[in-house]
Amino acid sequence: MPTTLITGGTVVSATGASAADVLVDGETIRAVLEPGSALLGVDLARSVDRVIDAGGKYVIPGGIDAHTHMELPFGGTAASDTFETGTRAAAWGGTTTIIDFAVQTHGQRVEDGLAAWHDKAAGTCAIDYGFHQIVGDVNEASLAALRGLADEGVSSYKLFMAYPGVFYSDDAQILQAMQVAADTGLMTMMHAENGPAIDVLVRQLLAEGKTDPYFHGVARAWQMEEEATHRAIMLAHLTGAPLYVVHVSAKQAVAQLAAARDRGQNVFGETCPQYLYLSLEEQLGASSEEWGSFEGAKWVCSTPLRSKQEHHQDELWQALRTNDLQMVSTDHCPFCMKDQKELGRGDFSKIPNGIGGVEHRMDLLYQGVVDGRISLERWVEITATTSARMFGLYGRKGVIQPGADADIVVYDPAGRTSIGVGKAHHMNMDHSAWEGFEIDGHVDTVMSRGRVIVDGGEYRGRPGDGSFVKRGLSQYLL
Ligand code: DUC
Ligand code: ZN
Ligand code: ZN
């Protein structure tokens, strides 16, 4: 593979930003050099096959989206992005690694669930990918399977306190799984919402004729998230298992995580762009000529969008700044309105849960830099570096340093990104949850293991460019 010199840019890491050139040799980064110094050496100059001019631009480690659901079967249908379309959209948006969730369904062996996910992804991905393991049926066999998971390069698993009858685990099951995790070093990821209580509220709302998407957000009240987050933290405390709470949207859940961290407990939280920008009133309560009050179905996801009036968004941004929350992933789980979200017309509980966002995370978070919410370095940290450290990829991913995979994004702070169908929109969806968003900043060039896969406005990659990455244990176990 050719040698590439990325020259004239500002290399941004989680700890600083400085002018530097980056020399890429084949699939890996060979050197980070004083600006211009590489071209002074005649031999080196001769051996550089390609020069990428990053003048005026940021050179950052490729994004790592640690929470996606390509092709997830859910609510009588399946997430509309395949590994092929979803990872290509991710590449367009400057994400060079995803960690998707392999699923063990009820009655299935964990090993078979994982094998099925390998089959879906193999040979189709545009970028590198790893897996977490959803354990949807905690029993003796799956607890035994958990013990072998890290050897498969799958060092994290996820449980659900929501969705009774589907993915749900009760407290006894959670406790036992966490005991195994404490023993083996697996990271426990938790969907923290009180599912049984939510289901009662859902039934009551529907019986009152409250069937619109808006009531999805009413049923999944913040108390349901706070309570489950607290319970998960307590079970993790008892067992000594590290805990990572996914898609945190309620400020009260953030407070639970912060309090546990202040007590010295090894707990972490991620939020998603939708919770930073979108709200119960503006999106779930939306109405349009085309869809009427069903318009809000576009934004039905769990945990739900929160009330703007309650100021969750400000608190989430602040928590990202102060490290009460450590990461931003997307929970990318796209469904089209037609034939998919439509399944829940007249009954919000039948709307498939999920928002597509894998393409826009880097841009939407860069807007946080422009808006003064987070620093440039923190942008890189919460979208790439911590993701790598949290999930056993660091050194290879999440950092620009000699020996690391050449997963690099040249980001133009002077560029603009217009999001919406027919604009920046490569996900397999008939709408965009971010329609009309105008973002400062633009992904210019994306390199995945040394191969330029996005170049200006062109996609140059192929299905199968990406490989499965075996992950080690989290760096945050102690
Ligand atoms: N939440 C979603 O919005 N979609 C998939 C699963 C989940 O927990
Ligand atoms: Zn979830
Ligand atoms: Zn999810």
Side-chain angles (χ1 to χ4, degrees):
M1 268 178 78
T3 322
T4 306
L5 186 69
I6 304 171
T7 180
T10 300
V11 175
V12 185
S13 75
T15 53
S18 57
D21 294 346
V22 180
L23 183 64
V24 171
D25 190 0
E27 295 195 352
T28 55
I29 295 168
R30 198 202 306 175
V32 181
L33 303 154
E34 286 272 311
S37 61
L39 295 172
L40 296 177
V42 175
D43 289 348
L44 199 53
R46 215 180 270 145
S47 67
V48 170
D49 301 301
R50 175 178 181 160
V51 174
I52 295 175
D53 178 8
K57 295 172 187 166
Y58 297 130
V59 180
I60 60 171
I64 301 172
D65 189 341
H67 188 158
T68 68
H69 297 286
M70 306 303 171
E71 307 179 39
L72 175 74
F74 193 95
T77 182
S80 56
D81 264 320
T82 61
F83 276 91
E84 181 178 337
T85 61
T87 56
R88 191 166 55 221
W92 273 104
T95 286
T96 53
T97 309
I98 61 161
I99 312 179
D100 202 85
F101 287 85
V103 179
Q104 176 221 14
T105 55
H106 209 82
Q108 189 185 33
R109 293 170 70 237
V110 168
E111 294 88 338
D112 294 341
L114 180 58
W117 243 254
H118 275 294
D119 287 347
K120 287 178 204 252
T124 72
C125 290
I127 55 172
D128 285 353
Y129 61 96
F131 294 137
H132 313 286
Q133 179 68 52
I134 286 175
V135 182
D137 190 359
V138 178
N139 55 36
E140 285 308 314
S142 43
L143 289 171
L146 276 183
R147 292 192 177 276
L149 213 51
D151 291 340
E152 301 294 319
V154 178
S155 53
S156 42
Y157 73 103
K158 181 181 179 189
L159 300 176
F160 288 78
M161 301 168 96
Y163 305 127
V166 190
F167 296 131
Y168 175 74
S169 292
D170 66 23
D171 293 348
Q173 291 172 310
I174 293 169
L175 181 77
Q176 292 174 82
M178 282 184 172
Q179 285 170 336
V180 174
D183 230 29
T184 54
L186 290 182
M187 179 65 78
T188 301
M189 305 174 78
M190 189 64 76
H191 178 131
E193 285 186 297
N194 186 326
I198 287 170
D199 278 4
V200 171
L201 297 178
V202 166
R203 282 198 297 277
Q204 290 172 348
L205 286 162
L206 290 173
E208 289 168 27
K210 294 174 174 166
T211 60
D212 279 345
Y214 177 82
F215 295 100
H216 169 85
V218 175
R220 305 187 91 91
W222 61 260
Q223 290 91 338
M224 302 288 107
E225 185 182 348
E226 180 182 6
E227 185 279 327
T229 303
H230 180 256
R231 192 156 29 102
I233 288 169
M234 287 297 109
L235 292 169
H237 190 266
L238 181 72
T239 55
L243 173 70
Y244 177 97
V245 180
V246 296
H247 49 52
V248 175
S249 64
K251 64 184 180 185
Q252 295 86 351
V254 175
Q256 292 294 337
L257 291 167
R261 289 174 60 79
D262 289 349
R263 289 194 302 267
Q265 206 181 325
N266 225 4
V267 301
F268 311 96
E270 111 196 325
T271 191
C272 312
Q274 50 270 35
Y275 307 121
L276 295 166
Y277 286 101
L278 309 177
S279 71
L280 172 69
E281 296 89 347
E282 290 165 308
Q283 275 75 35
L284 276 175
S287 183
S288 72
E289 229 169 75
E290 185 182 5
W291 294 101
S293 58
F294 191 65
E295 175 83 6
K298 290 177 179 173
W299 296 279
V300 164
C301 61
S302 298
T303 59
L305 305 183
R306 297 294 173 195
S307 168
K308 189 143 187 132
Q309 289 160 17
E310 293 170 2
H311 304 292
H312 297 273
Q313 292 173 3
D314 287 342
E315 299 266 342
L316 292 173
W317 278 113
Q318 180 172 308
L320 284 173
R321 192 165 50 76
T322 60
N323 207 36
D324 285 338
L325 292 175
Q326 291 72 39
M327 281 169 55
V328 177
S329 313
T330 58
D331 196 9
H332 177 76
C333 192
F335 296 100
C336 292
M337 284 294 268
K338 190 160 166 26
D339 297 336
Q340 296 200 298
K341 294 279 186 180
E342 269 183 333
L343 294 169
R345 254 194 202 283
D347 179 349
F348 66 81
S349 72
K350 294 200 166 59
I351 301 170
N353 285 202
I355 285 181
V358 75
E359 185 173 351
H360 304 307
R361 185 183 62 121
M362 300 302 286
D363 287 322
L364 288 164
L365 269 293
Y366 182 69
Q367 189 63 45
V369 177
V370 175
D371 293 345
R373 301 276 201 172
I374 51 171
S375 70
L376 192 60
E377 291 81 2
R378 187 68 177 155
W379 173 52
V380 168
E381 190 169 24
I382 63 179
T383 56
T385 309
T386 300
S387 323
R389 298 189 65 197
M390 188 68 69
F391 292 115
L393 289 169
Y394 189 76
R396 197 170 156 192
K397 310 282 189 191
V399 61
I400 293 182
Q401 69 180 16
D405 284 355
D407 290 358
I408 298 172
V409 173
V410 178
Y411 198 82
D412 182 3
R416 296 273 294 166
T417 303
S418 302
I419 305 179
V421 176
K423 301 176 188 165
H425 182 86
H426 300 87
M427 300 172 289
N428 185 32
M429 300 171 69
D430 60 5
H431 66 279
S432 170
W434 308 96
E435 188 70 47
F437 267 63
E438 296 284 334
I439 305 286
D440 293 306
H442 187 69
V443 172
D444 231 42
T445 307
V446 179
M447 187 179 266
S448 167
R449 272 186 294 105
R451 192 192 305 270
V452 173
I453 56 171
V454 176
D455 191 3
E458 301 288 328
Y459 179 71
R460 301 200 184 282
R462 283 177 319 227
D465 281 345
S467 305
F468 176 68
V469 269
K470 281 190 156 197
R471 297 181 293 114
L473 296 182
S474 172
Q475 286 193 348
Y476 291 98
L477 291 185
L478 283 179

